[in-house]
Amino acid sequence: MPKQFEKSLLEAIEAQLPENLSLAKELESRLGVTRSAVYKKIRGEASFSVAEMLQLARSFGISLDRLAFEAGGNQLFQYSNGNPEPQSPEEYLGRIQVQLMELLSEGNPQMWHITNDLPFFWYFFFPEICSFKLLIWSYISRGVQGDAQDFEPQRFAEQYPQLDAIRSEIAKLYIQVPTTEIWPAQFAEHMLIQIHKTLEAHVISVDAARVLLDKMQELLNLIAQVANTGIKQTPDGAQGASVQLYLNELILSGEMIFIENESGTTVHLPLDIPNFLSSSQTGFNVHVRQYMDAVVNASTRISKDGELQRQRVLNMARKRLQFFREEMRLT
């Protein structure tokens, strides 16, 4: 992590301490870490985690937003399109696979994900749904219409020999990352509308639409199982890390992903598939993490102990699925 922001935080803390109190001793007490670990952080030999910075800011009543502003209001972002744009679904998924591998390569990986749709990682559990979402990418973002004629999931996947292996690996990597996710109440609506509209436009066949709706039903069943236990799992029952699922019916912003491990933090802001803006700047990332914590505090938990809300939102999604079956005359 860049050190200037951490230096500013330490200076703000030290300015509040009476002369008879040691900065190192106060940090040791507040953070619950060893004295040697504290000295490494003070000297800049080790970084504070975002959670530690938030804890210190709360303890001493310091505005991290103000520190970020004073450090410089302009934030630099990396645009993913600086690299050559992926030319195939395999290459697109391959990049996601590499990013997850990098996240897991360092200790204590964490992910926070706010979205106005179902987080896209869930689609990788089902090859048919994954193929359909990649079709939408090819058809709209890349303008490739050859893939989008009488679409059938199996036939689409056969065009790309490595596609299913990469998809499966992404699903295995994703369940290893402890995650906090904030969803909208109608998290399945976007996918259902896409199926409906592509069927109307004769982009996909009736059989393909039926398969996709069946897989959406399986996805809802998987969500119910994961939400009940608070543990990620694949459709075949393989379990992974913990997941906290929250429902927020007031979020109007778009998608935002915050990831953290021992090497630092990164914020991803999806721009247009497959491109996104990324920031590794401490001040901005701490602000995003504060925002996410605030959203979580204003949300309703639907994993583990949130049974009533969980049942309500899943029943609503099942009713909408049945509505679309009838609307498309697939019952």
Side-chain angles (χ1 to χ4, degrees):
M1 277 188 180
K3 301 299 181 184
Q4 182 56 47
F5 187 84
E6 297 177 30
K7 181 180 177 182
S8 298
L9 176 60
L10 292 176
E11 289 174 350
I13 293 172
E14 196 163 24
Q16 295 188 20
L17 296 179
E19 292 184 1
N20 62 322
L21 291 184
S22 159
L23 174 63
K25 187 175 181 179
E26 280 297 301
L27 296 184
E28 179 185 7
S29 172
R30 307 266 181 158
L31 298 178
V33 297
T34 64
R35 183 69 60 90
S36 61
V38 166
Y39 277 121
K40 286 183 179 180
K41 294 175 187 291
I42 292 174
R43 292 194 298 264
E45 297 170 4
S47 295
F48 291 91
S49 70
V50 169
E52 288 174 333
M53 286 189 282
L54 290 173
Q55 181 179 345
L56 291 174
R58 284 191 291 265
S59 295
F60 290 96
I62 295 169
S63 169
L64 294 180
D65 286 344
R66 183 174 181 83
L67 287 183
F69 177 79
E70 291 173 349
N74 295 325
Q75 304 297 325
L76 296 178
F77 290 88
Q78 179 182 357
Y79 178 40
S80 61
N81 203 20
N83 298 319
E85 189 165 314
Q87 296 302 304
S88 71
E90 291 172 316
E91 187 177 347
Y92 174 42
L93 294 195
R95 293 187 183 183
I96 297 174
Q97 178 185 3
V98 168
Q99 289 175 331
L100 285 173
M101 292 172 66
E102 289 176 349
L103 173 60
L104 287 163
S105 67
E106 300 286 345
N108 300 318
Q110 298 279 338
M111 182 188 300
W112 288 260
H113 198 162
I114 293 180
T115 176
N116 51 15
D117 193 359
L118 184 69
F120 63 86
F121 291 104
W122 288 82
Y123 297 131
F124 294 124
F125 290 126
F126 298 92
E128 298 85 356
I129 297 178
C130 179
S131 292
F132 176 71
K133 297 301 282 189
L134 290 169
L135 167 82
I136 298 298
W137 168 56
S138 298
Y139 189 60
I140 297 175
S141 298
R142 295 173 61 216
V144 178
Q145 299 185 17
D147 293 338
Q149 296 176 4
D150 299 323
F151 166 80
E152 296 289 348
Q154 183 63 35
R155 191 168 67 242
F156 179 90
E158 288 173 353
Q159 298 178 66
Y160 308 101
Q162 302 302 315
L163 185 65
D164 195 58
I166 300 172
R167 175 205 61 79
S168 178
E169 186 61 26
I170 289 174
K172 293 175 183 177
L173 292 169
Y174 166 69
I175 68 169
Q176 297 178 47
V177 183
T179 306
T180 299
E181 299 178 359
I182 303 97
W183 303 357
Q186 296 181 322
F187 62 85
E189 194 74 6
H190 194 204
M191 177 68 174
L192 294 173
I193 291 173
Q194 286 181 330
I195 297 172
H196 188 196
K197 293 301 183 182
T198 51
L199 178 62
E200 279 187 339
H202 305 289
V203 172
I204 67 174
S205 68
V206 171
D207 288 342
R210 185 174 288 111
V211 167
L212 290 169
L213 291 180
D214 288 344
K215 293 302 174 181
M216 281 297 292
Q217 180 64 63
E218 292 182 30
L219 176 55
L220 292 177
N221 293 339
L222 177 64
I223 290 171
Q225 294 172 9
V226 171
N228 183 54
T229 62
I231 301 295
K232 291 182 179 180
Q233 68 177 66
T234 61
D236 61 8
Q239 294 191 333
S242 63
V243 61
Q244 297 186 65
L245 303 179
Y246 291 87
L247 184 70
N248 191 303
E249 302 183 57
L250 299 178
I251 295 176
L252 299 177
S253 60
E255 192 167 8
M256 187 181 299
I257 302 172
F258 178 100
I259 61 175
E260 179 177 20
N261 59 21
E262 289 184 354
S263 70
T265 65
T266 304
V267 171
H268 295 300
L269 304 173
L271 187 62
D272 56 66
I273 296 174
N275 302 310
F276 51 85
L277 298 176
S278 297
S279 169
S280 296
Q281 292 204 345
T282 305
F284 176 79
N285 291 3
V286 169
H287 171 78
V288 169
R289 176 62 191 280
Q290 281 184 301
Y291 168 72
M292 289 189 162
D293 286 347
V295 172
V296 165
N297 290 335
S299 301
T300 302
R301 185 168 174 172
I302 61 171
S303 55
K304 295 192 73 173
D305 51 358
E307 183 177 0
L308 289 178
Q309 283 291 84
R310 176 167 69 249
Q311 292 302 328
R312 181 181 72 84
V313 73
L314 286 171
N315 286 338
M316 182 170 63
R318 293 185 180 108
K319 288 178 180 178
R320 292 297 290 167
L321 178 59
Q322 183 59 29
F323 169 82
F324 276 94
R325 281 191 192 276
E326 296 171 358
E327 185 76 7
M328 290 183 270
R329 298 182 178 142
L330 298 177
T331 55

